[in-house]
């Protein structure tokens, strides 16, 4: 394997590895908006912050609340997120499923592999 000749080569190797991960049959594919929502939920979880359906829908950069709500429903059906009860039965907390956490573990391993082989 040749050494990268520029810093971007490392990132491009990582992208190639992640593309291979997306082809695995572990979970159904996400569209770009669903990926952004998944990353938002993951970052909130990493920060030990609670994120409700309403909180996700309030992020203007994700688009119209109805669109975000449809995507959350789709992601739940695909097995990427789960909705947990809170003290208020009308509010649901959005959390990653174990399969989604495993996906992030695989992405992390791909990042390490790209850096190591670079």
């Amino acid at each position: 394997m040749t050494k990268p000749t520029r810093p971007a080569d490392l990132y491009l190797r990582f992208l190639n590895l992640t593309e291979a991960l997306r082809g695995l049959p572990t979970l159904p594919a996400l569209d770009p908006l669903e990926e952004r929502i998944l990353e938002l939920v993951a970052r909130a979880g990493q920060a030990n912050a609670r994120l409700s359906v309403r909180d996700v829908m309030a992020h203007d950069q994700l688009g119209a609340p109805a669109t975000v709500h449809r995507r959350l429903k789709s992601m739940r059906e695909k097995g990427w997120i789960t909705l947990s009860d809170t003290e208020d039965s009308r509010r649901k907390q959005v959390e990653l499923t174990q399969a989604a956490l495993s996906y992030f573990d695989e992405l992390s391993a791909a990042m390490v592999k790209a850096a190591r082989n670079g």
Side-chain angles (χ1 to χ4, degrees), residues 1-17 111 113-115 117-118:
M1 181 151 301
T2 61
K3 285 245 182 227
T5 57
R6 56 194 169 122
D9 290 341
L10 176 64
Y11 181 69
L12 294 172
R13 281 187 46 73
F14 170 69
L15 289 180
N16 286 334
L17 292 168
M111 188 181 310
K113 183 177 179 180
N117 293 338

Side-chain angles (χ1 to χ4, degrees), residues 17-97:
L17 292 168
T18 59
E19 195 62 34
L21 285 176
R22 289 189 175 104
L24 296 176
T26 53
L27 286 173
L30 297 172
D31 69 29
L33 178 56
E34 290 171 339
E35 286 184 17
R36 290 179 60 201
I37 294 170
L38 187 73
E39 292 167 1
L40 174 70
V41 174
R43 285 192 309 270
Q46 184 72 23
N48 291 322
R50 295 178 63 150
L51 192 65
S52 70
V53 170
R54 178 183 241 163
D55 295 333
V56 176
M57 289 172 41
H59 279 87
D60 293 335
Q61 71 272 19
L62 296 177
T67 301
V68 175
H69 192 270
R70 278 194 308 275
R71 291 306 198 289
L72 288 171
K73 181 179 178 186
S74 169
M75 293 171 70
R76 188 172 169 213
E77 291 169 354
K78 291 176 181 179
W80 287 95
I81 61 169
T82 185
L83 302 180
S84 303
D85 290 328
T86 63
E87 57 279 347
D88 180 350
S89 62
R90 296 170 297 173
R91 289 178 63 96
K92 301 290 183 187
Q93 183 173 337
V94 183
E95 297 174 337
L96 298 178
T97 62

